């Protein structure tokens, strides 16, 4: 009996933020760079008693110290609430590592892949504005932002 396929399991006919990031990493041969890390965990102190928590970012550049952090923010086309959750989570993570002075705000970037129509929707536009208040947002669907990401990855 064949496995059931849920609508979410179907491959999208157009790329998503993960696909574009994967292509970008291959194109720039970033995975062969010893300073590049995927699924990078950052430990941050919080509270008065100095407890620690970990945040996992999709990508990081680390030489002798942390240089850059990147996070993909997925935008499922028909689920704006999921985008809101993803954006809020990413903004929180960036805010905490920036407050802890692990990186300056301009050394982080949230990667998104949204079209012009989506950018007019408050459910997408507002969370992006929130992210921009904390760190850079690079829309990999935009040629200029894609070029910025490529230059940083090279």
């Amino acid at each position: 009996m064949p496995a059931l396929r849920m609508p979410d399991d179907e491959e999208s006919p157009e790329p998503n933020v993960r696909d574009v990031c994967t292509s970008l990493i291959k194109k720039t041969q970033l995975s062969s760079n010893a300073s590049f890390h995927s699924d990078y965990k950052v430990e941050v102190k919080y509270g008065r008693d100095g407890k620690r928590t970990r945040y996992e970012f999709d990508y990081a550049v680390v030489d002798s110290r942390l240089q850059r952090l990147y996070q993909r923010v997925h935008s499922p086309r028909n689920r704006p609430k999921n985008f809101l959750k993803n954006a809020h989570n990413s903004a929180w993570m960036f805010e905490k590592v920036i407050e802890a002075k692990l990186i300056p705000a301009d050394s982080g970037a949230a990667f998104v892949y949204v079209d012009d129509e989506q950018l007019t929707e408050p459910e997408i536009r507002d969370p992006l504005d929130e992210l921009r208040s904390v760190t850079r947002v690079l829309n990999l669907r935009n040629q200029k932002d894609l070029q910025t990401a490529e230059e940083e990855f090279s």
Side-chain angles (χ1 to χ4, degrees):
M1 184 169 154
L4 288 175
R5 289 191 64 132
M6 300 301 288
D8 293 346
D9 293 337
E10 294 176 11
E11 289 196 32
S12 174
E14 65 179 57
N16 59 39
V17 69
R18 180 187 307 259
D19 297 334
V20 177
C21 286
T22 299
S23 295
L24 194 57
I25 290 166
K26 285 179 184 176
K27 180 179 179 180
T28 60
Q29 300 178 346
L30 191 57
S31 58
S32 63
N33 182 334
S35 297
F36 176 75
H37 302 272
S38 294
D39 303 322
Y40 189 77
K41 293 173 182 65
V42 178
E43 198 167 277
V44 177
K45 285 184 188 180
Y46 69 94
R48 296 174 213 239
D49 55 0
K51 289 186 178 181
R52 295 180 171 275
T53 191
R54 280 193 190 153
Y55 299 110
E56 186 170 321
F57 286 83
D58 291 311
Y59 312 112
V61 177
V62 183
D63 289 327
S64 59
R65 64 176 185 78
L66 183 59
Q67 300 289 320
R68 294 195 178 274
L69 286 170
Y70 301 98
Q71 184 69 14
R72 295 184 312 255
V73 181
H74 299 277
S75 54
R77 176 142 309 265
N78 297 317
R79 292 184 265 143
K81 283 189 177 182
N82 284 7
F83 180 73
L84 177 66
K85 289 177 185 179
N86 293 338
H88 278 171
N89 186 48
S90 297
W92 176 266
M93 291 177 10
F94 278 111
E95 180 177 42
K96 294 305 170 190
V97 298
I98 291 164
E99 283 177 356
K101 298 187 183 335
L102 298 176
I103 61 165
D106 63 351
S107 291
F111 292 138
V112 299
Y113 191 78
V114 294
D115 61 32
D116 291 339
E117 180 184 334
Q118 289 174 292
L119 289 171
T120 65
E121 299 168 10
E123 297 87 359
I124 301 296
R125 184 187 62 234
D126 295 347
L128 286 177
D129 288 343
E130 181 181 349
L131 266 169
R132 282 187 194 96
S133 76
V134 180
T135 193
R136 298 175 304 143
V137 173
L138 297 176
N139 183 358
L140 301 181
R141 195 169 208 145
N142 173 295
Q143 196 58 41
K144 182 181 174 205
D145 286 354
L146 181 62
Q147 185 176 351
T148 298
E150 188 174 333
E151 288 168 3
E152 287 185 21
F153 277 11
S154 294

